[in-house]
Amino acid sequence: MTKEELIQKTISAISLGCDKNKVDLEKMLGRLHAFGFTISDDIYSSDIVIVNTCAFIQSAQEEAIMNIIEMENLKQNGILEKVIVTGCFPERNYNSMKENFPTIDAFLRLRDNDKICEIIEDLYNVEHDKPIKKYERILTNSPSYAYLKIADGCNNVCSYCTIPRIRGRYISYPMEELLEEAKNLVGRGVKELILVAQDTTRYGEDLYGENKLIELCEKLSKIKDLEWIRLHYLYPEKVDDKLLSYIVKNPKMCNYIDLPLQHIDNDILKSMRRKVDENGTRNLLENLKNNYPSLALRSTFIVGYPGETRVKFKKLIEFIKDTKFDYAGFFPYSKEPNTASFYMKKHLSNWTKKHRWNKIKKVQNQIALEKAKEMMGQEIEVLVDYFDESTGEYVGHSQKLSPLVDFGVRFVDNGNINCAQIIKVKIYDFDGSDFKGEVL
């Protein structure tokens, strides 16, 4: 087969896992498009499918396996020609995956993502062309916003986490490369950049010898036509007044922080190897409440961690009730091999973990409902993400609502609305998952 014949193939992708993983896939798709392939969102009309997997916890691995098996079946039925599996799952289970899924055509280690074109050439016995150096990311979400991955890996050694083993040590990406990528995205119509890494608050310390997160944000904020900059995954030990003051004073910075806390009990936090204890956590939240009340706060927590007694879980419940986070995500503890917590005693049953997970979610849902009532009648700026044909409504998000993870804002077109446009909306209802608004 010649290259001219090869590029007649159509490629589709399934993206699983976190937004950082999504960025990796978007860059692969960009390389493939620059090579000459057609990129499609329709698996059934494609020749090649890439399954981009997550392997952070057991449920993510199960989801990956389910999708891999489904693509195997499509290949066996002649609908697909080739199936390629990428992401964290192959990195974590490379040898066993090759044995368990013999009909999969290729498993990519993370270091091989940049070689995706050459790997497909090998699958079709096509002589290698020149490596793709210039390409544009293929955005797989709304064109109004994009994730800017500023680092990979992690130096933290949290007892429950597999990321350092999968992704390696923390590596910041050079600032000039990030600025070039950001300018390209904004030039294509992106209005909001969401900065992501396993820990965004450590940006630059490995590369420049000092923290450069504020400097990066300052340079990004000077990009013409970029409206909003949002920070995700700010580890609490690095969140100080200097950073918080910068966020609230820079008009392009979203008044929103994502602050993963994981728990509040000191014994649990110490066992988790978290760097901020209960007192430090409460002091930080008190500072946020008193001095930065404009900031919306999202956090994440693990329930059912080894040694979490009823008393410790009740303490977490009361903490959630007292703090009243704007948004919070909860995950039942997952016992992952090759983590410190895997070998600990006093593991809880799956039933107990699921029961506590459901219970704490109900508490947060009630808090979210109370906060939603406070939104009634408020006028907010909304970035328009997409048009929902099934309801005839536009859907967007505000500075205090991160796309995909928080509530959306729905409204009817007044005749002059376009995607990636910022409009003013008056909130009048909440349906449990989205706000309803009237365009002003």
Side-chain angles (χ1 to χ4, degrees), residues 128-196:
H128 285 191
D129 202 353
K130 294 180 180 179
I132 299 297
K133 293 184 178 180
K134 291 188 176 182
Y135 62 91
E136 290 186 343
R137 274 171 55 187
I138 302 294
L139 296 180
T140 57
N141 51 251
S142 163
S144 62
Y145 66 91
Y147 297 100
L148 186 66
K149 184 176 177 181
I150 65 174
D152 203 357
C154 187
N155 289 351
N156 298 316
V157 288
C158 299
S159 65
Y160 50 83
C161 186
T162 59
I163 294 300
R165 284 183 173 271
I166 297 173
R167 291 278 178 174
R169 293 188 62 78
Y170 192 91
I171 300 177
S172 300
Y173 296 156
M175 196 176 300
E176 58 272 17
E177 293 181 9
L178 294 174
L179 292 171
E180 182 180 356
E181 182 180 357
K183 290 175 183 177
N184 176 271
L185 291 167
V186 174
R188 293 158 57 189
V190 168
K191 297 299 182 183
E192 176 183 347
L193 291 175
I194 304 175
L195 273 56
V196 295

Side-chain angles (χ1 to χ4, degrees), residues 384 386-388 392-396 409-413 417 419:
V384 184
Y386 65 93
F387 179 72
D388 187 345
E393 297 170 310
Y394 280 89
V395 183
V409 181
R410 291 179 172 270
F411 46 89
V412 178
D413 185 5
I417 292 178
C419 288

Side-chain angles (χ1 to χ4, degrees), residues 56-59 61 160 302-304 331-336 339 341 353:
F56 180 52
I57 55 178
Q58 185 62 35
S59 59
Q61 295 181 65
Y160 50 83
I302 295 173
V303 298
F331 301 90
Y333 168 76
S334 182
K335 187 179 181 181
E336 299 299 320
T339 61
S341 64
K353 289 187 287 187

Side-chain angles (χ1 to χ4, degrees), residues 164-393:
R165 284 183 173 271
I166 297 173
R167 291 278 178 174
R169 293 188 62 78
Y170 192 91
I171 300 177
S172 300
Y173 296 156
M175 196 176 300
E176 58 272 17
E177 293 181 9
L178 294 174
L179 292 171
E180 182 180 356
E181 182 180 357
K183 290 175 183 177
N184 176 271
L185 291 167
V186 174
R188 293 158 57 189
V190 168
K191 297 299 182 183
E192 176 183 347
L193 291 175
I194 304 175
L195 273 56
V196 295
Q198 191 63 29
D199 177 0
T200 55
T201 39
R202 282 176 169 74
Y203 175 74
E205 292 178 2
D206 60 308
L207 187 60
Y208 302 108
E210 59 182 332
N211 196 289
K212 293 286 187 177
L213 179 59
I214 292 177
E215 182 178 332
L216 173 62
C217 291
E218 184 65 17
K219 290 185 177 181
L220 289 171
S221 67
K222 293 178 180 178
I223 298 176
K224 184 182 178 182
D225 297 327
L226 175 62
E227 300 288 347
W228 294 348
I229 302 169
R230 189 182 304 272
L231 299 178
H232 272 208
Y233 317 122
L234 301 173
Y235 276 47
E237 62 268 24
K238 288 286 184 176
V239 176
D240 56 18
D241 286 312
K242 183 179 179 182
L243 176 60
L244 295 172
S245 296
Y246 178 78
I247 293 173
V248 298
K249 289 178 181 178
N250 185 333
K252 286 196 175 184
M253 298 297 295
C254 290
N255 273 232
Y256 177 105
I257 59 172
D258 183 303
L259 189 74
L261 297 175
Q262 308 306 356
H263 216 280
I264 190 57
D265 181 80
N266 259 337
D267 292 338
I268 298 293
L269 290 170
K270 183 177 180 180
S271 178
M272 285 180 169
R273 298 177 178 173
R274 302 292 288 179
K275 294 182 174 63
V276 176
D277 62 10
E278 176 183 348
N279 187 55
T281 299
R282 293 187 185 277
N283 287 340
L284 173 58
L285 294 175
E286 188 71 14
N287 186 29
L288 285 166
K289 178 181 178 181
N290 293 334
N291 300 313
Y292 308 95
S294 65
L295 292 178
L297 179 59
R298 157 171 280 280
S299 191
T300 50
F301 298 89
I302 295 173
V303 298
Y305 182 85
E308 185 191 66
T309 62
R310 292 179 181 178
V311 173
K312 296 179 188 300
F313 177 65
K314 184 179 180 181
K315 184 177 183 178
L316 178 60
I317 288 277
E318 293 304 316
F319 173 68
I320 297 298
K321 289 180 179 179
D322 292 340
T323 306
K324 291 183 170 57
F325 292 92
D326 295 286
Y327 319 100
F330 302 93
F331 301 90
Y333 168 76
S334 182
K335 187 179 181 181
E336 299 299 320
N338 298 317
T339 61
S341 64
F342 181 87
Y343 304 99
M344 292 179 180
K345 298 178 180 179
K346 299 182 180 180
H347 280 267
L348 280 63
S349 69
N350 289 333
W351 183 91
T352 299
K353 289 187 287 187
K354 187 173 182 180
H355 173 72
R356 292 183 180 181
W357 179 52
N358 287 325
K359 184 174 182 178
I360 202 166
K361 283 196 300 179
K362 288 180 180 178
V363 171
Q364 177 60 30
N365 287 343
Q366 185 59 40
I367 293 170
L369 182 60
E370 293 171 2
K371 285 183 170 287
K373 291 178 180 178
E374 297 173 3
M375 287 289 294
M376 297 304 107
Q378 289 193 25
E379 298 177 4
I380 61 173
E381 287 190 330
V382 173
L383 178 57
V384 184
D385 293 327
Y386 65 93
F387 179 72
D388 187 345
E389 295 183 358
S390 65
T391 64
E393 297 170 310

Side-chain angles (χ1 to χ4, degrees), residues 12-14 16 49-53 64 67-68 71 83-87:
S12 185
I14 298 172
L16 306 174
V49 166
I50 299 172
V51 184
N52 190 41
T53 61
N67 278 273
I68 293 169
M71 294 306 104
V83 178
I84 300 170
V85 178
T86 68

Side-chain angles (χ1 to χ4, degrees), residues 374-440:
E374 297 173 3
M375 287 289 294
M376 297 304 107
Q378 289 193 25
E379 298 177 4
I380 61 173
E381 287 190 330
V382 173
L383 178 57
V384 184
D385 293 327
Y386 65 93
F387 179 72
D388 187 345
E389 295 183 358
S390 65
T391 64
E393 297 170 310
Y394 280 89
V395 183
H397 67 279
S398 71
Q399 277 205 21
K400 296 187 178 183
L401 294 165
S402 190
L404 299 182
V405 295
D406 299 328
F407 307 126
V409 181
R410 291 179 172 270
F411 46 89
V412 178
D413 185 5
N414 66 355
N416 299 299
I417 292 178
N418 298 306
C419 288
Q421 177 183 353
I422 295 178
I423 60 171
K424 183 160 281 190
V425 172
K426 184 175 182 179
I427 302 299
Y428 67 84
D429 197 8
F430 178 68
D431 65 8
S433 57
D434 288 317
F435 290 100
K436 299 282 188 175
E438 176 187 5
V439 178
L440 299 177

